[in-house]
Amino acid sequence: MSQDLTLPGSASTPAIQSDWQAGRLTMQGDSYPENSFDLFDQVITWVEAFLGQEARPLRLDLQLVYLNTSSVKAMMDIFDLLEEAHESGREVGVEWRYDPRNERIAELAEEFKEDCSYPFAICPLEVST
């Protein structure tokens, strides 16, 4: 099932791309979809398949701007999968880039990071003035 996900972003959903060969999952944009289960179920299925079939590292590159409550829950499920993989010796990591003018998303990323023992970088984006 080594197919890649490519979900174009919209006003209320993040753009999501996966690269099976590179072991990378990228999400960027706002996330307050009508039905976050439908959206994130595909992502969770992809992460489970990758972790189940590959021994290579998996990295999430996030540039999420806003998440509603159900999106936060879905991200927690994804981070829990990474935590389980990490605890069983897998190399996983997250890099969350954010606009430094958006303190709320930085705080949210910090809250996620507190529950993770794997590398979880929270990096401000360069903002051109």
Side-chain angles (χ1 to χ4, degrees), residues 65-86:
V65 181
Y66 170 81
L67 292 99
N68 66 1
T69 306
S70 56
S71 296
V72 166
K73 168 80 178 84
M75 291 306 297
M76 287 168 71
D77 291 344
I78 293 168
F79 293 147
D80 286 348
L81 288 171
L82 296 182
E83 186 66 31
E84 286 172 27
H86 175 70

Side-chain angles (χ1 to χ4, degrees), residues 37-110:
F37 180 80
D38 283 353
L39 175 70
F40 285 103
D41 189 48
Q42 302 169 74
V43 177
I44 289 169
T45 299
W46 188 91
V47 170
E48 287 174 334
F50 185 90
L51 291 172
Q53 296 172 34
E54 295 290 339
R56 293 179 285 126
L58 176 60
R59 186 169 138 174
L60 266 61
D61 286 327
L62 306 177
Q63 202 171 314
L64 296 167
V65 181
Y66 170 81
L67 292 99
N68 66 1
T69 306
S70 56
S71 296
V72 166
K73 168 80 178 84
M75 291 306 297
M76 287 168 71
D77 291 344
I78 293 168
F79 293 147
D80 286 348
L81 288 171
L82 296 182
E83 186 66 31
E84 286 172 27
H86 175 70
E87 287 173 359
S88 68
R90 291 291 299 278
E91 190 179 326
V92 297
V94 172
E95 183 171 306
W96 193 318
R97 293 185 299 284
Y98 70 96
D99 183 327
R101 295 168 296 194
N102 183 350
E103 287 179 14
R104 289 186 60 201
I105 199 70
E107 289 167 9
L108 178 64
E110 285 289 348

